[in-house]
Amino acid sequence: MEELKPIKEGKVREIYDNGDSLIMVATDRISCFDVILKNDVTKKGTVLTQMSKFWFDMTEDIVPNHMISVDVKDMPEYFQQEKFDGNSMMCRKLKMLPIECIVRGYITGSGWNSYQENGTVCGITLPEGLKESDKLPEPIYTPSTKAEIGDHDENISFEQSIDVLEKEFPGKGKEYAEKLRDFTIALYKKCADYALEHGIIIADTKFEFGLDEDGNIILGDEMLTPDSSRFWPADSYEPGHGQPSFDKQFARDWLKENEHDWKLPQDIVDKTIDKYLQAYKLLTGKDL
């Protein structure tokens, strides 16, 4: 069997050309602060793929998505190996839009830092007197540019997102920017409400969208995974400080507090995947 090579490798995903579709493989790599760590986190890729499938299925009524199948039997023979089973998704080909669509329902992370400085997050003025991790009166849309591996994404205003899209799609910038914002908020509200009923607060997340061959906006990439979102346990939520989380914040915190060579100790790796698996079970009601 001929070995296939990915046409693109991201920090975590590898993408293979499959003629009129793509096969996206979520690896067990983990990245923090835009650096790929030297550890693999076993089963992480499977959690990301299966959790994305769960959300894609739930939100088809809001916006179509790129998922075709997560069953390797639907894929070429090369993908019918154990290492691809569970962590691979066959997807529609899209022209990806150059905006990361970030939505924040709670104030934390870089948003909290910005608010402390000047009362705003990405140019949006927020009410006075918020505490760290407070729920915002309404979710806010704070887009960013997409960076190459090794660079940092740059937060931009909604107006700047129009300019970015207009440059690439003359005459369509405002229309696309408004649709991205509206889809992002609608997806977040539906999924955050569902998650809260199942014991998880989705503090913030990011979505990516592309265009199909007819110019329709389609949800792509991953969706509401612990890699692309902040998940907090609802039963211990307490504003006024940082929250424990079900995502890679656990790994980030260790890296911030310890000397390292971009390598985590095994007990931190084990605790990290345990967080991912706990989140998957709470949200889907199933063990992976």
Side-chain angles (χ1 to χ4, degrees), residues 1 10 20 47 69 71 87 117 119 121 131 135 149 166-167 169 182 192 232 235 257 268 277:
M1 181 170 45
D20 58 359
V47 175
S69 176
D71 187 341
N87 64 344
E117 285 173 21
V121 175
K131 301 192 291 289
K135 185 176 185 181
I149 292 180
E166 185 66 28
K167 238 179 248 172
F169 305 98
D182 295 348
W232 296 340
D235 60 3
E257 290 164 15
I268 300 297
L277 291 167

Side-chain angles (χ1 to χ4, degrees), residues 3 34 38 40 49 57 64 66 71 80 89 100 109 116 151 160 201 204 210 214 217 250 269:
E3 183 179 356
D34 292 321
K38 293 176 180 175
D40 276 352
T49 298
D57 285 339
H66 70 166
D71 187 341
Q80 292 166 33
M89 181 180 289
E100 300 242 321
Q116 286 179 290
D151 294 331
Q160 286 172 305
I201 290 170
D204 52 37
D214 297 320
I217 292 180
F250 195 75
V269 174

